[in-house]
Structures are given as C-alpha cells and as structure tokens.
Amino acid sequence: MSVRIAKSAGFCFGVSRAVELVEQAAAAGKQVVTLGPIIHNHHVVDKFKALGVGVITAPEEAAPGQSVIIRSHGVSRDVMERLEGRGVEIIDATCPFVKRIHSLVSRAEDEGRLPVIIGTPTHPEVEGIAGWCSRCRVFESPQELEKWALSGDVSDDVTICMVSQTTSTESLWKTCVQFAKKQFTNPKIFDTICRATEYRQSEAAELSQSCQAMVVVGDPSSSNTGRLAMICREHCSKVFLVDNAGELRAEDFDSVTDVGITAGASTPAWIIKEVNKTMSEITNTETVMEENFAELLEQSIKTLNTGDKVMGTVTGIGNTEVQVDLGTKHAGYIPYDEVSTDPSVKPEDILKVGDEIEVFVVRVNDQEGTVQLSKKKLDGLKVWDDMAQWVEDKTTVEGTVTEENKGGLVANVKGIRVFIPASQSGIAKGGDMSAMVGQTVQMKITEVNRARRRVIGSIRAVSSESRKAAQEKIWAEIENGKKYHGVVKSLTSYGAFVDIGGVDGMVHVSELSWNRIKTPADVVKVGDEIDVYVISFDPEKHKISLGYKTTEMNPWNQFMTNYSVGDVVDAKIVKLMTFGAFAEILPGVDGLIHISQIADRRIGKPEDVLSEGQQVQVKITDVDAENKRISLSIRALLEGDGEDAE
C-alpha cells in the first residue's frame, strides 16, 4: 500500500501571512484580537486563544489600544472605517489577491459599471468584496447569472465588471465568462481566481483519479476544503473529509492499496503531518511526506530585498500580471510590461503554469505581503553581457527599427536601445530613412558602453558582408546566357544598371526593347524588378553586359505567331508617304498600304483620304518574312462590301 500527499496541501501564502502576522503581534506583547476567526480552522484559533489572542465579531467590540487583525478574507470599506474610528491599531492581513478585487469593483463603480461577483454570497470574502461598492450583484452559479440577465430587469445599456471569489472553480468561472461575453455589451472581465487554489484543485483531481481512497484534511466550515472534497468525489468513490487524525478509521481503508492526502488552504502543517503519520500506521507503511514542513517554514520566512535575483514557479497568468510562487510569505507578481523586452510578445507565448523562472525583485511590500518582479530586467542584464560578446565575435543580430532621429536610426535589440548612425543605416545619403521604421533588420553591434548605456550598431556592416559573399558567388558561377532576377538601380542616357544580387550589370538601351525608344525610362524605372540574361562579362574589369529584350518579346515573332495573310485587323496610320501610308499593326510592326490600295477609286495623294493617328481596318494581303515586310489593303475590304451589297 502507498500513501501520497499532494504537494500543494496546506497553507496558501495568504493564510500563512495572516497567521504569521498574528504570531508576530502576540510575540510583541500587544493586546491582539482578530476580527472574526483568523482562518477557517478551529485548531489554529484555539492555539491563538491560548496565547491570549481574542476574537471579536464587530468593530464596535474593539477597545482603544488593541491591535485588530483583519483576516485574509478581507472586510468591507464600512467595516474598515468603523475600525478607524475606534482608536485601535489595524493590522491588515487581507490576502493581496483579495485586496486587488476590492480595487477592481471600486474602480468599476467609478467608471459607471455594475460589479458582478461570482461566488457564495454569504462567504466572508464575498461579503467583503461587495462592501467596496455601493451596489453589485452576486451569483453562486452560471444558472443564477443567466436567470438574472434574461429576467427583463436588466436594462440594455448596462455595462458590467465581472470578478470571481478567489476559491471559485475554474469550470464554473469559464461558464459564467462565456455567457457574459455573449449577453453583455463590452463587459470587463477579470479572472481573479487564486492560481494557488486552482493548482490545489487540479492536483486534487489528478491525485484522486489514481488513488482508491482520498483523505481531505481541513475544517468542515472551510469553503476551499469543501470544494476539494467535491472535486475528489468526482473521480474517487471513497473520499473522507476529516478535521484531524483522530477522525480516521482503519476499517474505512480495508482492501485499499493507494491512498491520497490533500488539505485545504487553512489546514496547518502539523495536522497534515499527524494525518499522514496515522494513515501510515493504518496502512502499515513508512511515513511519507512529499514536503519537508520544517524546510518550508524556514523558507517562508526568508527575506527578499530589492535587486535580488530569485527563482520562482509560475502559478497563474492573469489579465494584467503573471503570478509567481517564490516559496516565501510574499505574493509575487510580474506586471505584463515587465515580462518581456519585446512589447509584442504575449506572456502566455513564453510562459506557462508550472514553469520555473529566474526573476528580478523590483519592489517589496512587507505590509501588503507582495513583491513586484521583473523578468524583463533580468533578461536585460543578461543581454548587456551578450552585447559585449557580440562585439568581440562580430555576431550578426536581429532588431526592430523603432524610430528615426537627426543622426540616424534607433533599433530595439532584445529590449536594449541601439543607435545606428545614418552612415551605417545602409540608406544612400539623402535617402528616406523613415521607411525603415517598423522593419526587422540584421546588424552588427560595433560599440558597447555599459556605464553610459550606449550601444552602436551597423546595418551597413551586415549588408556589406552579405553583398561581398553574394558577389563572390555570382563571379564564381556566371556564364553567358545565364538568367537573373534583378532590380533596376539607376538609369543613364545609354542604358539601365541592374543589381543581380550584389553585382551591377548594364542593359544597353538597344537591349531594353525591340521598339525604337528615346530613353531607358520609356521601358523601366528605378526599383523595378526585371528578369535579365548575361550577354557578356569581364571578370578582371568587373563588367557585365545584360540583355532584357527576349525572342519572345520580339514584335515580329508575335506578329508571325498570331497573324496570317487574309486576316482583317485594326491598325493606326503612323506615317504618310507619296506612294502610300504606313499603318501600325502591333507596337514595332508596321505594314504598307500602297496608294492604289487606299480607296476603291483613284486618289491624288494618301492624305486626301487618310491622316496620321487615324484608326482603320485593313486586310493583310502579303507577308515577306525574309525582309519583314507586310502589304495591307483598305480597298480589298471596300470592294468586298460592294459585292455583298449586290
């Protein structure tokens, strides 16, 4: 037989912090009372009672000079104000996660939103949350939420802010969220379930699936303990909720080979230890403890200081922050803008629950029991070390251009600001550097001054290196007739220079088009991507002659492919002569209409009937392929019309 204990069994950090605050106040000789039982566990309450710690049920019971401790569930604004008027010292042990919900509902009301709380209306935590706004609605189930929303009592223009009791179940919360998103316009929804609770519940579910019996340890009045028992019963037929080891009965575990133990967040370590010991005696196995509670206790009281580098475990990814368990009494959190040096990265893209990460301590608030952390700052410190190495190794790195300034460009490389002088931008003098903003570029880091936090980079160094490698490749493989896809870099009166991948070649004006052109600009412009082929090259002089016009582009070949004698085509009169008129059939292909073929009568000169630019229909009467001459006739069409009329 085996006995297994859930790693998450026992105090959560919020409860642990509250208990510690009571112990510290009592040890300091203060007259201590708690407003309500400090936690849902009568064993702990009795222990404190023996130390002289009393329990009051209302602020009015507090006497001047007393130290009143607010339990981790928190209280309403009204209760806090009533306490302040009693002349007492207030020690606020409200769980930081609960404190955040107080702020959310208060701010929501200021924004004109109706706070909607998913939780048990009579639970002290929920009562406290509701007390931080003048009006709100509380629903224990998705069905209650739906019934209210569809009752007709809710106006169409109502906007809600929805939060959850920290110990609510994930499945219940998700169902409520799905409905709220469909039913309400622009709802603000905050997932305020404590991830420590979620982890505890998921671990209980997993453990109960593999064990024949489950023991849930905790005070029956504890909400989260009750939920643990409920979750375990979904997967295991034998579930025993016990307050202490004395409630265990050997006969309940006959024929059971695997037993799992979990405990609520209000269950102290010593009770779990006793249950484990008794369970081991019943099952005749060695005492098994998954956690060394002495070590945990020692770890929980260790101090944290700003600037520390510490290891932690991701316990939750919320809407605005990542929650991290540092193994101390503090609630660790990383604001979203401190997760990554890349502002476009989402926390869930690089982190998941259960990940162990190293973080930088930004701020410690012992009073509230929170510690603000940063992953970005620690990553940034490591990047500075990397930067120095990149300079030495001449490493090519990637960055995003974020802005243009007077002297050049600024890029973001792993969260570090890198200045790229205009001369190193790769943009020609006078060029538009603003077009680079937003682009991801390759660069070399050329200078790092950590003390002044100054980094210089060069895009040009990478492009020069790449261009040199490309040039060597082209000259090693070039041959006549080889085709390249290039970019037109510049134009002159005699041709166009084309970059074919690091090397410029020239296309002479005569090689740009089969037609007669005045300038290269009639065919191409700077920036055009064109296909060219090598006509000749000289490696010693680094000169390459390129061709652009191809046989397929030859207008005469196009004419011979698509037209034949007898075809009737549309043509444009391009030149008038004494002996006839030349008409363009295709750009670059003209045919002659002899003066005798212009009309069905004798005419003195072609311009008596035709004019330059006139569109006419002609018939192809002869093609001299060898001399590339075409004979055309308008008369043949006119005589044909006359025959049809007869």
Side-chain angles (χ1 to χ4, degrees), residues 222-422:
S222 168
S223 173
N224 69 78
T225 302
R227 289 189 190 278
L228 284 177
M230 179 183 71
I231 291 169
C232 290
R233 289 189 182 105
E234 293 176 359
H235 308 286
C236 182
S237 59
K238 286 190 174 185
V239 177
F240 305 97
L241 198 165
V242 299
D243 177 65
N244 56 72
E247 295 183 3
L248 292 170
R249 298 185 308 173
E251 58 268 26
D252 289 333
F253 300 93
D254 288 342
S255 72
V256 173
T257 57
D258 292 291
V259 178
I261 299 175
T262 187
S266 299
T267 308
W270 80 80
I271 292 181
I272 302 174
K273 197 169 185 178
E274 288 176 357
V275 168
N276 176 62
K277 182 180 179 182
T278 302
M279 197 69 247
S280 300
E281 291 171 353
I282 290 173
T283 58
N284 197 28
T285 59
E286 292 184 8
T287 302
V288 178
M289 291 299 288
E290 293 291 338
E291 298 285 1
N292 185 314
F293 290 105
E295 289 180 7
L296 282 179
L297 182 61
E298 183 180 347
Q299 186 181 35
S300 71
I301 60 176
K302 72 180 182 182
T303 58
L304 292 173
N305 299 296
T306 300
D308 284 351
K309 298 176 186 177
V310 294
M311 294 298 296
T313 302
V314 176
T315 57
I317 300 176
N319 293 314
T320 59
E321 63 194 29
V322 176
Q323 297 160 13
V324 181
D325 179 9
L326 301 174
T328 71
K329 64 182 180 181
H330 300 86
Y333 67 95
I334 310 173
Y336 267 17
D337 58 2
E338 290 294 328
V339 171
S340 173
T341 56
D342 184 348
S344 65
V345 168
K346 296 180 180 178
E348 57 266 29
D349 293 337
I350 58 174
L351 296 174
K352 63 180 184 297
V353 173
D355 282 353
E356 287 193 10
I357 57 173
E358 189 175 17
V359 287
F360 182 88
V361 177
V362 177
R363 186 181 300 109
V364 180
N365 189 328
D366 285 320
Q367 185 176 354
E368 292 189 0
T370 61
V371 55
Q372 182 180 330
L373 308 168
S374 174
K375 182 176 180 296
K376 180 174 75 174
K377 280 186 172 60
L378 191 60
D379 291 344
L381 293 173
K382 292 178 179 177
V383 170
W384 281 103
D385 295 334
D386 293 339
M387 288 273 184
Q389 194 63 46
W390 293 339
V391 173
E392 187 176 334
D393 298 342
K394 298 181 179 179
T395 304
T396 298
V397 298
E398 190 175 87
T400 302
V401 178
T402 57
E403 62 179 278
E404 174 199 11
N405 61 27
K406 188 176 180 180
L409 298 170
V410 174
N412 182 309
V413 177
K414 295 186 178 298
I416 302 296
R417 187 179 187 273
V418 178
F419 175 65
I420 303 166

Side-chain angles (χ1 to χ4, degrees), residues 7 13 39 76 102 158 174 261 319 344 377 537 628:
K7 294 179 180 179
F13 82 90
I39 61 173
S76 67
H102 293 173
V158 69
K174 284 184 176 179
I261 299 175
N319 293 314
S344 65
K377 280 186 172 60
F537 61 95
K628 297 182 179 178

Side-chain angles (χ1 to χ4, degrees), residues 3 29 48 57 153 201 240 325 328 398 446 541 578 619 627:
V3 177
F48 285 145
T57 58
D153 296 333
Q201 291 174 352
F240 305 97
D325 179 9
T328 71
E398 190 175 87
T446 57
K541 295 182 178 180
T578 56
K619 186 175 184 178
N627 295 302

